[in-house]
Amino acid sequence: LQEPLSFAVDFFNFYYVADNKNPNYEFLDEVNEQDFVRTAAYNPQCGFLVKGADFLHETKEQQLLLQHSRCDEAYKAILDNMDWVGTTEWLNNETFPLLRSLVGSNTNADHLLEKNIKTRIMENKRISASDLSSEALQYVNNLTAFDQELYIRAKRDFPFEQMVLVEDATS
């Protein structure tokens, strides 16, 4: 899971700013805060867990039908079905090394790292959280309240230290 505001900014930059030729997203030659707010999704991580990838192509009205109880169901499914849930801020330093260790692979996944993805986006065109007004930040925070709850729960319930102990036990 990713911190929701960071997710919204990264999603916008990847799908709307980078010319990735994805027909589901409009390429914005010039970016501004209004485009960011207009394209922001309602709890996209929770929606993805509940409804799958099609959720991101729904209208705002369809997205708003997602209820908090459905996000609770999604988190219960995570707890029931997943051994580990990581957060993206520790992807390079914790999650990738942990996964490589668990599957016994020395394969490098640096091509997936944020710094390499960002090189595909023209730096002068991208938007960052520091570019956004307090009103836009509050709008996205309100729009992603369920995602924020999922993120906090995952950080609480899946601390990395817990996995280090499991990894050490298998050594």
Side-chain angles (χ1 to χ4, degrees):
L1 293 173
Q2 186 173 3
E3 188 280 321
L5 177 60
S6 176
F7 181 93
V9 169
D10 287 349
F11 189 89
F12 178 79
N13 285 326
F14 187 80
Y15 286 102
Y16 294 97
V17 178
D19 191 6
N20 63 19
K21 311 288 189 240
N22 186 325
N24 295 311
Y25 302 96
E26 65 181 296
F27 171 67
L28 301 171
D29 193 36
E30 298 293 324
V31 298
N32 58 49
E33 182 177 286
Q34 291 76 23
D35 287 329
F36 172 75
V37 168
R38 176 179 57 82
T39 60
Y42 179 76
N43 294 298
Q45 295 176 97
C46 179
F48 178 79
L49 289 168
V50 171
K51 296 182 173 184
D54 290 338
F55 173 77
L56 293 172
H57 305 296
E58 293 181 348
T59 66
K60 283 253 200 262
E61 293 76 24
Q62 291 169 317
Q63 290 176 3
L64 287 170
L65 293 176
L66 185 69
Q67 298 297 318
H68 184 264
S69 62
R70 301 275 317 268
C71 288
D72 280 341
E73 290 172 26
Y75 195 72
K76 288 176 187 156
I78 286 173
L79 293 175
D80 291 343
N81 298 306
M82 296 185 184
D83 294 327
W84 173 251
V85 176
T87 58
T88 57
E89 64 262 69
W90 303 113
L91 197 62
N92 186 35
N93 297 328
E94 293 179 352
T95 308
F96 281 155
L98 175 64
L99 291 174
R100 281 194 292 261
S101 172
L102 289 173
V103 298
S105 171
N106 291 325
T107 303
N108 191 337
D110 287 346
H111 64 285
L112 298 174
L113 299 179
E114 180 180 357
K115 66 180 180 181
N116 292 317
I117 291 171
K118 283 183 180 177
T119 61
R120 292 189 265 159
I121 302 171
M122 294 175 55
E123 292 297 324
N124 61 341
K125 285 182 57 177
R126 47 180 287 122
I127 202 164
S128 71
S130 62
D131 298 329
L132 301 172
S133 68
S134 59
E135 291 83 9
L137 294 172
Q138 187 60 48
Y139 175 78
V140 172
N141 285 334
N142 291 341
L143 201 63
T144 59
F146 298 160
D147 277 3
Q148 185 67 31
E149 185 177 328
L150 288 176
Y151 176 76
I152 290 168
R153 286 175 164 183
K155 286 181 72 167
R156 178 195 66 211
D157 295 342
F158 296 95
F160 184 72
E161 296 80 21
Q162 169 186 334
M163 293 306 294
V164 171
L165 293 174
V166 171
E167 182 181 18
D168 289 345
T170 61
S171 299

